[in-house]
Structures are given as structure tokens and as C-alpha cells.
Amino acid sequence: MSLLELNNLHVSFKTRHGEIKAVRGVDFWLDKAETLAIVGESGSGKSVTAQSVIGMIPRPHGRIVDGSVSFKGEDITKLPIKQYRKIRGKQIGMVFQDPMTALNPTMKIGHQIQEVFTKKLKQPKKLAKESAIKLLEEVGIKDPVSRYYDYPHQFSGGMRQRVVIAIALAANPSLIIADEPTTALDVTIQAQILALLKRIQKERETSILLITHDLGVVSEVADRVVVMYAGSVVETGTVQEIMETPKHPYTWGLLQSVPTVEGERQDRLKAIDGTPPDLSRPIVGCPFAARCPHAMEICAEQLPANENFSGTHKARCWLHDSRTKSYLELAAGGETSE
Ligand code: SF4
């Protein structure tokens, strides 16, 4: 049994313009001590998928309409909200993009960490303070005893993100959901935060669900990757499979943002021409068809099946169907990495 399993998850939002089907039949699993990255452009459904895991789909407009989110073998979407809240923060920690909004600006850093120990773990105040100081030290805050009394604005962006990670870790959760945890930071600090997450994972055997648009970040920390487009998973594989032998044209587009051998890197995705489909309308065929340079007639008519390339590598694309133009023929034309 995996720590986390999503099966056929569908999430919709009611809007003035109709129902937006933001997540459309997402499946994946995450094992203990593993890092799974969900990548995709903005609007691909990756953050909504993460929100489903922590029960934070904005109400009343958003809801899970089908499927399940199984955590430690239990479908947590069926839990009463009070029980859900207990799991969140205690068994599932969260790290968001902007540490300033995650922290209370009017409260001392130490007290914000201490609160987790007193409220979630019912530790007495003195012990909770000691635990908070120890944790500040663990996440690399120098002079933690005096920094305990500082406010968030007295910390740099990178230090604030370390504090957010400390809060997420306080209850020693089995799973951390990190939604674009380094996007707001400069490249040097980004590397430090990624190294910190990796170290913590190794020491504590925590699982990490990483949400990011940046395949460079993925290559540094992830074990496996889920590529999402228009609310659906278009490709999954180990980080090596996705980086070295990607099979889906959308993944090929995303990979243009990965660091080059020469050391240069682009921190943002190179834009893929065109726009994603309108998620308030039914999608017929492959959702990427309107933007795909390899699209064939059948792509706009029928959804391709998931093709297996290994026990871990799958992609949904007509290029790999034996009845359509051979993938190897295309590769010989220089369109793929193979
Ligand atoms: Fe492109 Fe067709 Fe493959 Fe979709 S199914 S990614 S449109 S080639």
C-alpha cells in the first residue's frame, strides 16, 4: 500500500461562466520517503490536485465530484471536516510559495512554531519552546535562541521559507506538500531550500509531493514525475525517464526550461505556443491537440490510450499507437530526444 493514492480524481468549480472541470480523472501514487513532482503550466490542475489532498478546495464553489484520495489506506475525502483538519498539519505538512503569507506577521517566529507543539501535539509550553528552538536549528537558522523572538519581517525570504518548513515539520508528518516552494526565491537560496528539503527527507523518511512549473527543480529533488495538462495526467515516469526519454509533446515543450549542460538555465517555462483549452467545455480528443506541432487528424477526435513504456513510464499520445505514424520515424526527424 502506498502512502498516498489518487484514483480517478475529478474536481470542479461552479462559476458564472459554467462549471470548470479543473481536474479530470487524475491517478497517481506516492510511496514512503519518495518525492513525487507534479509539473505543468499554470492552470494545468496541479495546485488544485494538491488542494484536494489537504482538503483545501475553495468552498462553496469547488468540490470533488468523483474519485478518491487515499492516505494511509483511508479515503480522506469522505472524512468529516474536523477529522480532516486533524490530519492536515499533523500528518500532512504544507509549504507554500510565499512564506510571507504563510506566516503571521504580528507573531514572533518562535511562537508560531511553538504553537504547533502545544496545539497539535499537546506539549507543555516549556517543552514546546525547546522543541521549537531545536527545529529552528534543524532547518538551518543560526542563533536560534535569539531568532526565536524575531518577527517574520526581520528574516530574509530564504530564512522565512526555512521557518515555514520548520512549521510543516513540527508534528513530524509523513507527507509534506510543497507548492512552488522556491519560486519566490533567487537561484542561490532556491538551491539551499531544495538541499534542505532533501536532507530532511533523508533523515526523517518523509514523503514529498512537490508542485512546480520548473523541471529544473524536479531534476534536482524528485524521484518520479507526473506531467499534467488541462486537468489530466499526460505522462508519468521516473525523473530519469521524463528527463532522458520523454514521450509526450507537451513534456518536450516543458523540457525547454531545463538547465543546459553549459550551465545556463531559464527559471520560467519557455512559453509553448497557443493557449490551453477552455475547461468549462467538453474536451474531445487529446487536450493538447490545438497546440501540438505533431497533431494528426485523429488527435482532435479521440483521446489516446495510456501507453506503457516501462513499469513506471506511461504517456497518452497517438504518436505511440502502432496504427499511427511510427514514433521512431518522427524521432529520426529529430523531434524527440531518442
Ligand atoms: Fe500531439 Fe496528438 Fe500526441 Fe496529443 S495525441 S500530444 S495532439 S500527437
Side-chain angles (χ1 to χ4, degrees):
M1 181 184 73
S2 297
L3 179 80
L4 179 72
E5 275 181 40
L6 270 65
N7 286 304
N8 191 34
L9 186 76
H10 289 259
V11 182
S12 286
F13 293 88
K14 285 215 168 86
T15 72
R16 252 185 297 164
H17 309 290
E19 186 182 0
I20 307 282
K21 295 184 177 173
V23 174
R24 299 163 173 245
V26 164
D27 298 293
F28 62 74
W29 80 93
L30 170 63
D31 287 330
K32 187 180 175 190
E34 187 185 35
T35 298
L36 178 72
I38 309 184
V39 294
E41 296 166 296
S42 126
S44 60
K46 58 189 192 305
S47 288
V48 176
T49 301
Q51 285 166 356
S52 312
V53 176
I54 47 178
M56 287 181 77
I57 302 279
R59 297 274 179 173
H61 305 296
R63 69 188 180 102
I64 292 175
V65 289
D66 202 1
S68 61
V69 177
S70 164
F71 179 69
K72 295 185 174 175
E74 185 172 27
D75 183 359
I76 52 179
T77 63
K78 304 271 186 296
L79 291 178
I81 194 77
K82 216 173 160 188
Q83 230 172 312
Y84 216 153
R85 278 199 197 119
K86 273 190 188 163
I87 290 178
R88 194 165 68 209
K90 202 166 174 184
Q91 296 191 54
I92 303 176
M94 290 163 286
V95 178
F96 294 113
Q97 178 176 339
D98 183 1
M100 208 52 192
T101 54
L103 296 170
N104 181 341
T106 66
M107 205 173 160
K108 288 173 182 160
I109 289 289
H111 291 169
Q112 299 193 43
I113 305 173
Q114 186 181 332
E115 223 177 34
V116 185
F117 289 108
T118 51
K119 288 190 176 162
K120 300 256 181 203
L121 303 182
K122 309 292 175 211
Q123 282 187 4
K125 259 191 174 172
K126 192 167 175 280
L127 177 62
K129 184 178 174 184
E130 286 168 13
S131 306
I133 290 171
K134 215 169 136 202
L135 200 49
L136 277 174
E137 196 170 15
E138 190 183 338
V139 297
I141 303 287
K142 287 196 183 101
D143 197 9
V145 178
S146 70
R147 303 298 320 246
Y148 178 93
Y149 297 100
D150 284 345
Y151 289 93
H153 73 268
Q154 295 171 283
F155 280 63
S156 67
M159 288 292 139
R160 281 197 287 266
Q161 196 59 305
R162 286 176 189 267
V163 172
V164 172
I165 292 171
I167 292 171
L169 284 176
N172 201 20
S174 330
L175 170 64
I176 288 185
I177 296 180
D179 192 351
E180 304 276 8
T182 57
T183 302
L185 307 171
D186 71 46
V187 178
T188 317
I189 306 298
Q190 187 177 72
Q192 290 171 7
I193 295 295
L194 293 176
L196 172 65
L197 282 171
K198 262 167 95 173
R199 174 170 64 77
I200 286 163
Q201 178 175 52
K202 208 170 160 202
E203 288 168 2
R204 297 187 174 222
E205 294 202 311
T206 314
S207 304
I208 298 177
L209 183 64
L210 174 70
I211 314 300
T212 181
H213 65 274
D214 186 343
L215 275 165
V217 168
V218 169
S219 66
E220 284 173 47
V221 292
D223 299 303
R224 284 189 302 113
V225 185
V226 167
V227 182
M228 283 189 71
Y229 182 75
S232 304
V233 175
V234 295
E235 183 164 4
T236 58
T238 62
V239 73
Q240 199 174 5
E241 287 165 339
I242 297 294
M243 295 295 167
E244 293 176 10
T245 55
K247 303 293 185 190
H248 197 282
Y250 180 61
T251 314
W252 300 342
L254 294 186
L255 277 166
Q256 294 177 55
S257 72
V258 167
T260 64
V261 181
E262 292 74 38
E264 291 297 314
R265 63 170 291 161
Q266 297 160 284
D267 290 323
R268 301 271 162 191
L269 281 180
K270 184 173 180 224
I272 300 170
D273 286 343
T275 49
D278 180 348
L279 296 179
S280 67
R281 312 183 79 143
I283 297 175
V284 180
C286 170
F288 192 52
R291 301 171 76 187
C292 179
H294 311 286
M296 299 163 279
E297 217 170 286
I298 193 168
C299 301
E301 291 164 4
Q302 279 183 49
L303 182 67
N306 241 333
E307 295 286 333
N308 291 307
F309 303 96
S310 74
T312 46
H313 195 184
K314 287 180 189 178
R316 248 182 211 284
C317 175
W318 280 114
L319 289 176
H320 308 293
D321 190 289
S322 56
R323 292 164 294 176
T324 59
K325 193 174 177 182
S326 148
Y327 169 59
L328 289 175
E329 265 178 54
L330 263 167
E335 296 293 348
T336 79
S337 61
E338 288 190 350

PDB file of all heavy atoms in Angstrom, residues 279-303:
ATOM      1  N   LEU A 279     -11.666  24.981 -19.942  1.00  0.00           N
ATOM      2  CA  LEU A 279     -12.036  23.844 -19.079  1.00  0.00           C
ATOM      3  C   LEU A 279     -13.519  23.844 -18.705  1.00  0.00           C
ATOM      4  O   LEU A 279     -13.982  22.961 -17.987  1.00  0.00           O
ATOM      5  CB  LEU A 279     -11.162  23.818 -17.823  1.00  0.00           C
ATOM      6  CG  LEU A 279      -9.671  23.576 -18.077  1.00  0.00           C
ATOM      7  CD1 LEU A 279      -8.879  23.598 -16.776  1.00  0.00           C
ATOM      8  CD2 LEU A 279      -9.436  22.252 -18.805  1.00  0.00           C
ATOM      9  N   SER A 280     -14.247  24.853 -19.195  1.00  0.00           N
ATOM     10  CA  SER A 280     -15.697  24.838 -18.932  1.00  0.00           C
ATOM     11  C   SER A 280     -16.427  24.104 -20.069  1.00  0.00           C
ATOM     12  O   SER A 280     -17.638  23.934 -20.023  1.00  0.00           O
ATOM     13  CB  SER A 280     -16.242  26.270 -18.789  1.00  0.00           C
ATOM     14  OG  SER A 280     -16.161  26.938 -20.026  1.00  0.00           O
ATOM     15  N   ARG A 281     -15.686  23.686 -21.087  1.00  0.00           N
ATOM     16  CA  ARG A 281     -16.308  22.986 -22.221  1.00  0.00           C
ATOM     17  C   ARG A 281     -15.780  21.561 -22.300  1.00  0.00           C
ATOM     18  O   ARG A 281     -14.655  21.286 -21.851  1.00  0.00           O
ATOM     19  CB  ARG A 281     -15.993  23.714 -23.524  1.00  0.00           C
ATOM     20  CG  ARG A 281     -16.239  25.204 -23.418  1.00  0.00           C
ATOM     21  CD  ARG A 281     -15.981  25.851 -24.710  1.00  0.00           C
ATOM     22  NE  ARG A 281     -17.125  25.635 -25.595  1.00  0.00           N
ATOM     23  CZ  ARG A 281     -17.571  26.513 -26.439  1.00  0.00           C
ATOM     24  NH1 ARG A 281     -16.974  27.654 -26.554  1.00  0.00           N
ATOM     25  NH2 ARG A 281     -18.607  26.255 -27.191  1.00  0.00           N
ATOM     26  N   PRO A 282     -16.567  20.661 -22.885  1.00  0.00           N
ATOM     27  CA  PRO A 282     -16.080  19.288 -23.023  1.00  0.00           C
ATOM     28  C   PRO A 282     -14.820  19.259 -23.909  1.00  0.00           C
ATOM     29  O   PRO A 282     -14.722  20.032 -24.862  1.00  0.00           O
ATOM     30  CB  PRO A 282     -17.234  18.546 -23.707  1.00  0.00           C
ATOM     31  CG  PRO A 282     -18.407  19.462 -23.637  1.00  0.00           C
ATOM     32  CD  PRO A 282     -17.900  20.858 -23.457  1.00  0.00           C
ATOM     33  N   ILE A 283     -13.880  18.411 -23.555  1.00  0.00           N
ATOM     34  CA  ILE A 283     -12.677  18.272 -24.388  1.00  0.00           C
ATOM     35  C   ILE A 283     -12.803  16.970 -25.171  1.00  0.00           C
ATOM     36  O   ILE A 283     -12.929  15.899 -24.589  1.00  0.00           O
ATOM     37  CB  ILE A 283     -11.400  18.263 -23.526  1.00  0.00           C
ATOM     38  CG1 ILE A 283     -11.246  19.602 -22.792  1.00  0.00           C
ATOM     39  CG2 ILE A 283     -10.164  17.985 -24.388  1.00  0.00           C
ATOM     40  CD1 ILE A 283     -10.094  19.670 -21.816  1.00  0.00           C
ATOM     41  N   VAL A 284     -12.783  17.109 -26.478  1.00  0.00           N
ATOM     42  CA  VAL A 284     -12.865  15.915 -27.336  1.00  0.00           C
ATOM     43  C   VAL A 284     -11.456  15.627 -27.841  1.00  0.00           C
ATOM     44  O   VAL A 284     -10.745  16.529 -28.281  1.00  0.00           O
ATOM     45  CB  VAL A 284     -13.821  16.159 -28.527  1.00  0.00           C
ATOM     46  CG1 VAL A 284     -13.912  14.913 -29.410  1.00  0.00           C
ATOM     47  CG2 VAL A 284     -15.197  16.568 -28.022  1.00  0.00           C
ATOM     48  N   GLY A 285     -11.035  14.382 -27.771  1.00  0.00           N
ATOM     49  CA  GLY A 285      -9.708  14.010 -28.245  1.00  0.00           C
ATOM     50  C   GLY A 285      -8.622  14.412 -27.274  1.00  0.00           C
ATOM     51  O   GLY A 285      -8.863  14.568 -26.073  1.00  0.00           O
ATOM     52  N   CYS A 286      -7.409  14.594 -27.795  1.00  0.00           N
ATOM     53  CA  CYS A 286      -6.267  14.953 -26.946  1.00  0.00           C
ATOM     54  C   CYS A 286      -6.366  16.418 -26.549  1.00  0.00           C
ATOM     55  O   CYS A 286      -6.507  17.286 -27.420  1.00  0.00           O
ATOM     56  CB  CYS A 286      -4.963  14.712 -27.712  1.00  0.00           C
ATOM     57  SG  CYS A 286      -3.528  15.397 -26.866  1.00  0.00           S
ATOM     58  N   PRO A 287      -6.279  16.739 -25.252  1.00  0.00           N
ATOM     59  CA  PRO A 287      -6.422  18.142 -24.835  1.00  0.00           C
ATOM     60  C   PRO A 287      -5.326  19.054 -25.387  1.00  0.00           C
ATOM     61  O   PRO A 287      -5.504  20.262 -25.471  1.00  0.00           O
ATOM     62  CB  PRO A 287      -6.363  18.067 -23.296  1.00  0.00           C
ATOM     63  CG  PRO A 287      -5.795  16.728 -22.964  1.00  0.00           C
ATOM     64  CD  PRO A 287      -6.085  15.832 -24.124  1.00  0.00           C
ATOM     65  N   PHE A 288      -4.193  18.468 -25.792  1.00  0.00           N
ATOM     66  CA  PHE A 288      -3.060  19.275 -26.265  1.00  0.00           C
ATOM     67  C   PHE A 288      -3.114  19.508 -27.779  1.00  0.00           C
ATOM     68  O   PHE A 288      -2.271  20.204 -28.347  1.00  0.00           O
ATOM     69  CB  PHE A 288      -1.755  18.559 -25.872  1.00  0.00           C
ATOM     70  CG  PHE A 288      -0.509  19.398 -26.024  1.00  0.00           C
ATOM     71  CD1 PHE A 288      -0.420  20.664 -25.448  1.00  0.00           C
ATOM     72  CD2 PHE A 288       0.583  18.928 -26.729  1.00  0.00           C
ATOM     73  CE1 PHE A 288       0.729  21.445 -25.587  1.00  0.00           C
ATOM     74  CE2 PHE A 288       1.740  19.698 -26.878  1.00  0.00           C
ATOM     75  CZ  PHE A 288       1.808  20.953 -26.298  1.00  0.00           C
ATOM     76  N   ALA A 289      -4.132  18.942 -28.435  1.00  0.00           N
ATOM     77  CA  ALA A 289      -4.168  18.929 -29.902  1.00  0.00           C
ATOM     78  C   ALA A 289      -4.008  20.316 -30.541  1.00  0.00           C
ATOM     79  O   ALA A 289      -3.267  20.469 -31.523  1.00  0.00           O
ATOM     80  CB  ALA A 289      -5.452  18.267 -30.385  1.00  0.00           C
ATOM     81  N   ALA A 290      -4.674  21.335 -29.988  1.00  0.00           N
ATOM     82  CA  ALA A 290      -4.641  22.654 -30.630  1.00  0.00           C
ATOM     83  C   ALA A 290      -3.258  23.295 -30.581  1.00  0.00           C
ATOM     84  O   ALA A 290      -2.968  24.220 -31.338  1.00  0.00           O
ATOM     85  CB  ALA A 290      -5.653  23.571 -29.961  1.00  0.00           C
ATOM     86  N   ARG A 291      -2.378  22.819 -29.692  1.00  0.00           N
ATOM     87  CA  ARG A 291      -1.057  23.449 -29.547  1.00  0.00           C
ATOM     88  C   ARG A 291       0.073  22.534 -30.004  1.00  0.00           C
ATOM     89  O   ARG A 291       1.229  22.933 -29.970  1.00  0.00           O
ATOM     90  CB  ARG A 291      -0.828  23.819 -28.080  1.00  0.00           C
ATOM     91  CG  ARG A 291      -1.852  24.753 -27.528  1.00  0.00           C
ATOM     92  CD  ARG A 291      -1.691  24.902 -26.022  1.00  0.00           C
ATOM     93  NE  ARG A 291      -0.588  25.750 -25.647  1.00  0.00           N
ATOM     94  CZ  ARG A 291      -0.179  25.913 -24.389  1.00  0.00           C
ATOM     95  NH1 ARG A 291      -0.795  25.266 -23.407  1.00  0.00           N
ATOM     96  NH2 ARG A 291       0.831  26.695 -24.107  1.00  0.00           N
ATOM     97  N   CYS A 292      -0.279  21.325 -30.348  1.00  0.00           N
ATOM     98  CA  CYS A 292       0.761  20.322 -30.579  1.00  0.00           C
ATOM     99  C   CYS A 292       1.290  20.389 -32.009  1.00  0.00           C
ATOM    100  O   CYS A 292       0.531  20.259 -32.969  1.00  0.00           O
ATOM    101  CB  CYS A 292       0.201  18.938 -30.292  1.00  0.00           C
ATOM    102  SG  CYS A 292       1.405  17.640 -30.579  1.00  0.00           S
ATOM    103  N   PRO A 293       2.594  20.551 -32.186  1.00  0.00           N
ATOM    104  CA  PRO A 293       3.141  20.610 -33.548  1.00  0.00           C
ATOM    105  C   PRO A 293       3.071  19.263 -34.280  1.00  0.00           C
ATOM    106  O   PRO A 293       3.293  19.208 -35.483  1.00  0.00           O
ATOM    107  CB  PRO A 293       4.609  21.027 -33.330  1.00  0.00           C
ATOM    108  CG  PRO A 293       4.901  20.834 -31.888  1.00  0.00           C
ATOM    109  CD  PRO A 293       3.619  20.764 -31.147  1.00  0.00           C
ATOM    110  N   HIS A 294       2.756  18.181 -33.561  1.00  0.00           N
ATOM    111  CA  HIS A 294       2.701  16.846 -34.177  1.00  0.00           C
ATOM    112  C   HIS A 294       1.275  16.331 -34.342  1.00  0.00           C
ATOM    113  O   HIS A 294       1.081  15.153 -34.651  1.00  0.00           O
ATOM    114  CB  HIS A 294       3.499  15.859 -33.310  1.00  0.00           C
ATOM    115  CG  HIS A 294       4.850  16.370 -32.951  1.00  0.00           C
ATOM    116  ND1 HIS A 294       5.882  16.426 -33.851  1.00  0.00           N
ATOM    117  CD2 HIS A 294       5.326  16.915 -31.801  1.00  0.00           C
ATOM    118  CE1 HIS A 294       6.945  16.961 -33.267  1.00  0.00           C
ATOM    119  NE2 HIS A 294       6.628  17.263 -32.032  1.00  0.00           N
ATOM    120  N   ALA A 295       0.293  17.208 -34.089  1.00  0.00           N
ATOM    121  CA  ALA A 295      -1.107  16.751 -34.085  1.00  0.00           C
ATOM    122  C   ALA A 295      -1.512  16.152 -35.432  1.00  0.00           C
ATOM    123  O   ALA A 295      -1.120  16.635 -36.498  1.00  0.00           O
ATOM    124  CB  ALA A 295      -2.017  17.920 -33.737  1.00  0.00           C
ATOM    125  N   MET A 296      -2.289  15.079 -35.345  1.00  0.00           N
ATOM    126  CA  MET A 296      -2.828  14.422 -36.548  1.00  0.00           C
ATOM    127  C   MET A 296      -4.350  14.537 -36.481  1.00  0.00           C
ATOM    128  O   MET A 296      -4.891  14.967 -35.459  1.00  0.00           O
ATOM    129  CB  MET A 296      -2.410  12.942 -36.545  1.00  0.00           C
ATOM    130  CG  MET A 296      -0.898  12.771 -36.572  1.00  0.00           C
ATOM    131  SD  MET A 296      -0.390  11.121 -36.089  1.00  0.00           S
ATOM    132  CE  MET A 296      -0.457  11.215 -34.322  1.00  0.00           C
ATOM    133  N   GLU A 297      -4.993  14.132 -37.535  1.00  0.00           N
ATOM    134  CA  GLU A 297      -6.456  14.249 -37.578  1.00  0.00           C
ATOM    135  C   GLU A 297      -7.132  13.558 -36.390  1.00  0.00           C
ATOM    136  O   GLU A 297      -8.012  14.098 -35.746  1.00  0.00           O
ATOM    137  CB  GLU A 297      -6.955  13.632 -38.871  1.00  0.00           C
ATOM    138  CG  GLU A 297      -8.126  14.399 -39.457  1.00  0.00           C
ATOM    139  CD  GLU A 297      -8.419  13.892 -40.849  1.00  0.00           C
ATOM    140  OE1 GLU A 297      -7.657  14.192 -41.788  1.00  0.00           O
ATOM    141  OE2 GLU A 297      -9.416  13.191 -40.955  1.00  0.00           O
ATOM    142  N   ILE A 298      -6.634  12.366 -36.092  1.00  0.00           N
ATOM    143  CA  ILE A 298      -7.261  11.580 -35.027  1.00  0.00           C
ATOM    144  C   ILE A 298      -7.143  12.256 -33.652  1.00  0.00           C
ATOM    145  O   ILE A 298      -7.983  12.056 -32.769  1.00  0.00           O
ATOM    146  CB  ILE A 298      -6.665  10.146 -34.975  1.00  0.00           C
ATOM    147  CG1 ILE A 298      -7.534   9.269 -34.093  1.00  0.00           C
ATOM    148  CG2 ILE A 298      -5.215  10.148 -34.513  1.00  0.00           C
ATOM    149  CD1 ILE A 298      -7.225   7.799 -34.176  1.00  0.00           C
ATOM    150  N   CYS A 299      -6.104  13.082 -33.469  1.00  0.00           N
ATOM    151  CA  CYS A 299      -5.848  13.702 -32.157  1.00  0.00           C
ATOM    152  C   CYS A 299      -7.033  14.555 -31.682  1.00  0.00           C
ATOM    153  O   CYS A 299      -7.342  14.606 -30.486  1.00  0.00           O
ATOM    154  CB  CYS A 299      -4.592  14.552 -32.206  1.00  0.00           C
ATOM    155  SG  CYS A 299      -3.117  13.631 -32.657  1.00  0.00           S
ATOM    156  N   ALA A 300      -7.688  15.241 -32.625  1.00  0.00           N
ATOM    157  CA  ALA A 300      -8.802  16.110 -32.251  1.00  0.00           C
ATOM    158  C   ALA A 300     -10.112  15.328 -32.130  1.00  0.00           C
ATOM    159  O   ALA A 300     -11.133  15.876 -31.732  1.00  0.00           O
ATOM    160  CB  ALA A 300      -8.950  17.224 -33.282  1.00  0.00           C
ATOM    161  N   GLU A 301     -10.072  14.040 -32.464  1.00  0.00           N
ATOM    162  CA  GLU A 301     -11.311  13.247 -32.458  1.00  0.00           C
ATOM    163  C   GLU A 301     -11.403  12.243 -31.319  1.00  0.00           C
ATOM    164  O   GLU A 301     -12.451  12.004 -30.755  1.00  0.00           O
ATOM    165  CB  GLU A 301     -11.429  12.485 -33.793  1.00  0.00           C
ATOM    166  CG  GLU A 301     -11.681  13.417 -34.960  1.00  0.00           C
ATOM    167  CD  GLU A 301     -11.408  12.755 -36.298  1.00  0.00           C
ATOM    168  OE1 GLU A 301     -11.089  11.537 -36.320  1.00  0.00           O
ATOM    169  OE2 GLU A 301     -11.508  13.451 -37.315  1.00  0.00           O
ATOM    170  N   GLN A 302     -10.263  11.628 -30.978  1.00  0.00           N
ATOM    171  CA  GLN A 302     -10.292  10.579 -29.958  1.00  0.00           C
ATOM    172  C   GLN A 302      -9.166  10.757 -28.956  1.00  0.00           C
ATOM    173  O   GLN A 302      -8.037  11.072 -29.342  1.00  0.00           O
ATOM    174  CB  GLN A 302     -10.106   9.211 -30.618  1.00  0.00           C
ATOM    175  CG  GLN A 302     -11.361   8.655 -31.230  1.00  0.00           C
ATOM    176  CD  GLN A 302     -11.077   7.266 -31.803  1.00  0.00           C
ATOM    177  OE1 GLN A 302     -10.496   6.406 -31.159  1.00  0.00           O
ATOM    178  NE2 GLN A 302     -11.475   7.067 -33.045  1.00  0.00           N
ATOM    179  N   LEU A 303      -9.477  10.509 -27.690  1.00  0.00           N
ATOM    180  CA  LEU A 303      -8.462  10.571 -26.635  1.00  0.00           C
ATOM    181  C   LEU A 303      -7.538   9.361 -26.779  1.00  0.00           C
ATOM    182  O   LEU A 303      -8.019   8.225 -26.846  1.00  0.00           O
ATOM    183  CB  LEU A 303      -9.148  10.545 -25.264  1.00  0.00           C
ATOM    184  CG  LEU A 303      -8.241  10.652 -24.040  1.00  0.00           C
ATOM    185  CD1 LEU A 303      -7.583  12.022 -23.968  1.00  0.00           C
ATOM    186  CD2 LEU A 303      -9.032  10.388 -22.765  1.00  0.00           C
TER     187      LEU A 303
END
